[in-house]
Amino acid sequence: MNDIDKDIFISKFTNAFGPAVELPVAFYYSDEPEGLNEKVGGCFFKSFGRVREGQAVSFSADTIGCGGGKLYTGFAPMPPHVPAFVSEKERYKATPADVLDTIKRLDIRPMAGKYLNFVRIDKVDSLEKAEGLLFFATPDVLSGLAAWACYDNNSDDAVSCIFGSGCSSVVSQAVKENRLGGRRTFIALLDPSVRPHIGADEVGFVIPASRFPEMYATIDRCCLSGTHGWLKIKERINRAQ
């Protein structure tokens, strides 16, 4: 995303959605941590309160306490207990074989960088290395994001909803989409294990880096640019804050 001016995007995004809507979080790998790198037991989304407030947070193989989290971020191979745990303990899949099949289709590969950083877009120096942007969206905000994603993409999977852990639905899907040069965006953070760490009225929405330059160019051409229908929703979003 070398050609993206993040300050211009922030201006366009705020103009489209209004000042009440939270700025997205960029995530990317690096060889040095960009922010706080503390050990997190369990789901690393526990730390996202800090990220959303503007503090950079970094994770590594040593600080992610969840075996699945290490797997889905590319820091470690799959722990042997994961298929049975996801199927028999969490009951997110009918059989361990279904878990293995899901992981296989994610095609997770080891990451070159030692750290995975999450930084709110106004606090990041550049979007050059970003794997994608994560938005926290209420239903009204999701409506706008989905409409924007579908403006110039007629594919049935322009907005995809692939159930998985929070880290897989955000990081694994974006990394895979970028390798493929794909145009899909993703509704994320539906996993009950991650839900306690975000608002009850919000989900995640991920725009991978491979798709974002196109959407950067269309945000002020699609319905978010001031159509009658969107203005009513925008008013309600901002009135509710």
Side-chain angles (χ1 to χ4, degrees):
M1 298 199 285
N2 294 357
D3 298 329
I4 302 297
D5 186 314
K6 60 136 180 143
D7 294 320
I8 290 177
F9 171 69
I10 290 170
S11 176
K12 289 183 175 183
F13 180 79
T14 303
N15 184 62
F17 285 88
V21 176
E22 192 173 328
L23 293 175
V25 172
F27 54 97
Y28 56 95
Y29 290 90
S30 65
D31 288 327
E32 298 294 333
E34 296 287 341
L36 188 68
N37 180 37
E38 293 182 345
K39 178 85 172 181
V40 180
C43 180
F44 64 68
F45 276 86
K46 291 177 181 177
S47 301
F48 266 64
R50 291 169 172 167
V51 178
R52 297 174 71 170
E53 290 170 358
Q55 182 176 356
V57 173
S58 303
F59 301 102
S60 65
D62 295 328
T63 58
I64 295 176
C66 170
K70 292 180 183 180
L71 164 67
Y72 294 122
T73 54
F75 285 130
M78 183 190 72
H81 73 278
V82 163
F85 179 81
V86 174
S87 173
E88 298 166 9
K89 174 76 172 178
E90 295 181 312
R91 289 189 278 176
Y92 292 150
K93 290 291 181 181
T95 67
D98 288 340
V99 179
L100 286 170
D101 180 61
T102 299
I103 293 172
K104 180 180 179 181
R105 284 188 279 113
L106 281 170
D107 192 22
I108 302 165
R109 302 177 190 181
M111 292 298 106
K114 296 178 182 178
Y115 297 91
L116 173 60
N117 310 287
F118 290 88
V119 189
R120 204 174 65 192
I121 193 172
D122 59 323
K123 301 296 183 179
V124 74
D125 293 331
S126 166
L127 293 174
E128 179 181 357
K129 297 182 292 184
E131 293 287 350
L133 296 178
L134 168 62
F135 300 75
F136 292 91
T138 63
D140 278 348
V141 173
L142 181 62
S143 168
L145 292 168
W148 174 26
C150 292
Y151 173 73
D152 64 337
N153 186 354
N154 256 2
S155 299
D156 291 339
D157 61 357
V159 177
S160 297
C161 185
I162 301 171
F163 182 79
S165 66
C167 43
S168 72
S169 64
V170 174
V171 181
S172 304
Q173 294 292 355
V175 170
K176 178 183 177 182
E177 196 70 8
N178 289 336
R179 286 203 312 270
L180 298 173
R183 304 181 74 211
R184 292 184 300 171
T185 59
F186 301 95
I187 296 173
L189 306 180
L190 302 181
D191 165 23
S193 298
V194 78
R195 293 297 305 164
H197 308 303
I198 66 171
D201 62 343
E202 62 186 8
V203 297
F205 187 86
V206 178
I207 304 178
S210 57
R211 174 64 169 135
F212 185 64
E214 295 175 326
M215 293 181 64
Y216 173 80
T218 61
I219 190 168
D220 48 10
R221 301 209 308 265
C222 70
C223 69
L224 302 179
S225 62
T227 61
H228 177 69
W230 177 248
L231 284 175
K232 290 189 292 185
I233 303 304
K234 178 181 175 181
E235 180 183 357
R236 182 165 71 179
I237 291 170
N238 289 272
R239 187 173 64 238
Q241 300 301 314

